[in-house]
Amino acid sequence: SWDFGKVQKKGTDMHKYFNQKGFFASLEPIMGSQAAISSLHQRKDELFIATSSRKEGMYDKCIWLEKYFPSIPELNVFMTSRKDLLCGDVILDDGIHNLYSNHIRYPMLFDQPWKQGEEGDKFIRIYSWKHFIETIDLVRKEVPYKEIREINTEFKEDKEYA
């Protein structure tokens, strides 16, 4: 949950971890993410990273991206908390709150148990990086947004995407 008040223990402050130098640099990429980004790069897709961070984490995130995703140019990395200002074809995010933009044709949400419910059903749910690549293939074929959402409900039950 993005609402730390719901998940942190009383008397603790989860924000302190995000403010520690080196926190973001110490994280490992999500399984499948590097292969997916490499595949998109090989297809000549132009990729951008828009990430929100406190100033303490900005440097770490840049170093981390350079290390794990060297195919994404430094000029294509944006530090912003205003993802509602972005425009383009596809946005993939893990926060529902970042998808409320009418400037993106295909808003996609990484699925998690705590993201269930009515408001998350407005977006294309993505169950894995492999599933993301397959969904991008549908976007390339100009399959309408509503149809992709209907097709994607079938992936939820597929164990390969769990």
Side-chain angles (χ1 to χ4, degrees), residues 2 93-99 109-110 115:
W2 286 104
D93 210 294
D94 59 350
I96 291 173
H97 58 281
N98 290 320
L99 298 177
L109 174 69
F110 260 122
K115 297 176 190 166

mmCIF file of all heavy atoms in Angstrom, residues 2 93-99 109-110 115:
data_model
loop_
_atom_site.group_PDB
_atom_site.id
_atom_site.type_symbol
_atom_site.label_atom_id
_atom_site.label_comp_id
_atom_site.label_asym_id
_atom_site.label_seq_id
_atom_site.Cartn_x
_atom_site.Cartn_y
_atom_site.Cartn_z
ATOM 1 N N TRP A 2 0.439 2.248 -0.720
ATOM 2 C CA TRP A 2 1.156 3.520 -0.719
ATOM 3 C C TRP A 2 0.830 4.330 0.528
ATOM 4 O O TRP A 2 1.475 5.321 0.808
ATOM 5 C CB TRP A 2 0.822 4.318 -1.978
ATOM 6 C CG TRP A 2 1.490 3.734 -3.175
ATOM 7 C CD1 TRP A 2 0.908 2.978 -4.157
ATOM 8 C CD2 TRP A 2 2.867 3.814 -3.512
ATOM 9 N NE1 TRP A 2 1.847 2.596 -5.071
ATOM 10 C CE2 TRP A 2 3.067 3.102 -4.708
ATOM 11 C CE3 TRP A 2 3.968 4.434 -2.923
ATOM 12 C CZ2 TRP A 2 4.299 2.985 -5.315
ATOM 13 C CZ3 TRP A 2 5.192 4.310 -3.547
ATOM 14 C CH2 TRP A 2 5.347 3.601 -4.716
ATOM 15 N N ASP A 93 2.908 1.759 -14.309
ATOM 16 C CA ASP A 93 3.223 2.261 -12.977
ATOM 17 C C ASP A 93 2.711 1.286 -11.935
ATOM 18 O O ASP A 93 1.822 0.481 -12.203
ATOM 19 C CB ASP A 93 2.586 3.644 -12.772
ATOM 20 C CG ASP A 93 3.393 4.501 -11.813
ATOM 21 O OD1 ASP A 93 3.459 4.136 -10.614
ATOM 22 O OD2 ASP A 93 3.950 5.512 -12.245
ATOM 23 N N ASP A 94 3.275 1.368 -10.745
ATOM 24 C CA ASP A 94 2.823 0.520 -9.644
ATOM 25 C C ASP A 94 1.924 1.290 -8.685
ATOM 26 O O ASP A 94 1.470 0.734 -7.692
ATOM 27 C CB ASP A 94 3.999 -0.102 -8.903
ATOM 28 C CG ASP A 94 4.948 0.933 -8.321
ATOM 29 O OD1 ASP A 94 4.815 2.128 -8.638
ATOM 30 O OD2 ASP A 94 5.830 0.544 -7.545
ATOM 31 N N GLY A 95 1.649 2.545 -8.977
ATOM 32 C CA GLY A 95 0.774 3.356 -8.142
ATOM 33 C C GLY A 95 -0.442 3.825 -8.916
ATOM 34 O O GLY A 95 -0.314 4.532 -9.921
ATOM 35 N N ILE A 96 -1.624 3.412 -8.462
ATOM 36 C CA ILE A 96 -2.865 3.824 -9.126
ATOM 37 C C ILE A 96 -2.924 5.343 -9.237
ATOM 38 O O ILE A 96 -3.338 5.887 -10.259
ATOM 39 C CB ILE A 96 -4.093 3.281 -8.362
ATOM 40 C CG1 ILE A 96 -4.173 1.764 -8.504
ATOM 41 C CG2 ILE A 96 -5.375 3.921 -8.871
ATOM 42 C CD1 ILE A 96 -5.246 1.121 -7.659
ATOM 43 N N HIS A 97 -2.478 6.032 -8.204
ATOM 44 C CA HIS A 97 -2.564 7.497 -8.178
ATOM 45 C C HIS A 97 -1.777 8.153 -9.314
ATOM 46 O O HIS A 97 -2.045 9.307 -9.652
ATOM 47 C CB HIS A 97 -2.080 8.026 -6.819
ATOM 48 C CG HIS A 97 -0.684 7.618 -6.477
ATOM 49 N ND1 HIS A 97 -0.368 6.355 -5.994
ATOM 50 C CD2 HIS A 97 0.488 8.276 -6.579
ATOM 51 C CE1 HIS A 97 0.930 6.273 -5.797
ATOM 52 N NE2 HIS A 97 1.480 7.426 -6.152
ATOM 53 N N ASN A 98 -0.836 7.442 -9.918
ATOM 54 C CA ASN A 98 -0.040 8.002 -11.017
ATOM 55 C C ASN A 98 -0.684 7.806 -12.383
ATOM 56 O O ASN A 98 -0.135 8.254 -13.387
ATOM 57 C CB ASN A 98 1.355 7.382 -11.028
ATOM 58 C CG ASN A 98 2.178 7.847 -9.864
ATOM 59 O OD1 ASN A 98 2.141 9.001 -9.481
ATOM 60 N ND2 ASN A 98 2.924 6.926 -9.283
ATOM 61 N N LEU A 99 -1.810 7.125 -12.436
ATOM 62 C CA LEU A 99 -2.413 6.786 -13.721
ATOM 63 C C LEU A 99 -3.596 7.673 -14.094
ATOM 64 O O LEU A 99 -4.204 7.470 -15.135
ATOM 65 C CB LEU A 99 -2.834 5.318 -13.718
ATOM 66 C CG LEU A 99 -1.693 4.322 -13.534
ATOM 67 C CD1 LEU A 99 -2.228 2.905 -13.481
ATOM 68 C CD2 LEU A 99 -0.656 4.464 -14.622
ATOM 69 N N LEU A 109 -1.243 -0.760 -15.024
ATOM 70 C CA LEU A 109 -0.983 -0.875 -13.596
ATOM 71 C C LEU A 109 -0.393 -2.243 -13.283
ATOM 72 O O LEU A 109 -0.981 -3.267 -13.635
ATOM 73 C CB LEU A 109 -2.290 -0.699 -12.821
ATOM 74 C CG LEU A 109 -2.257 -0.924 -11.319
ATOM 75 C CD1 LEU A 109 -1.461 0.187 -10.637
ATOM 76 C CD2 LEU A 109 -3.668 -0.991 -10.759
ATOM 77 N N PHE A 110 0.787 -2.261 -12.624
ATOM 78 C CA PHE A 110 1.313 -3.531 -12.130
ATOM 79 C C PHE A 110 0.366 -4.041 -11.058
ATOM 80 O O PHE A 110 0.097 -3.358 -10.075
ATOM 81 C CB PHE A 110 2.713 -3.369 -11.533
ATOM 82 C CG PHE A 110 3.808 -3.793 -12.455
ATOM 83 C CD1 PHE A 110 4.802 -2.914 -12.815
ATOM 84 C CD2 PHE A 110 3.856 -5.085 -12.962
ATOM 85 C CE1 PHE A 110 5.829 -3.297 -13.665
ATOM 86 C CE2 PHE A 110 4.873 -5.486 -13.811
ATOM 87 C CZ PHE A 110 5.855 -4.584 -14.165
ATOM 88 N N LYS A 115 -4.016 -3.700 -4.675
ATOM 89 C CA LYS A 115 -4.486 -2.776 -5.713
ATOM 90 C C LYS A 115 -5.792 -3.248 -6.331
ATOM 91 O O LYS A 115 -6.159 -2.838 -7.421
ATOM 92 C CB LYS A 115 -3.421 -2.617 -6.796
ATOM 93 C CG LYS A 115 -2.142 -2.015 -6.288
ATOM 94 C CD LYS A 115 -1.104 -1.985 -7.365
ATOM 95 C CE LYS A 115 0.232 -1.596 -6.757
ATOM 96 N NZ LYS A 115 1.336 -1.865 -7.646
#
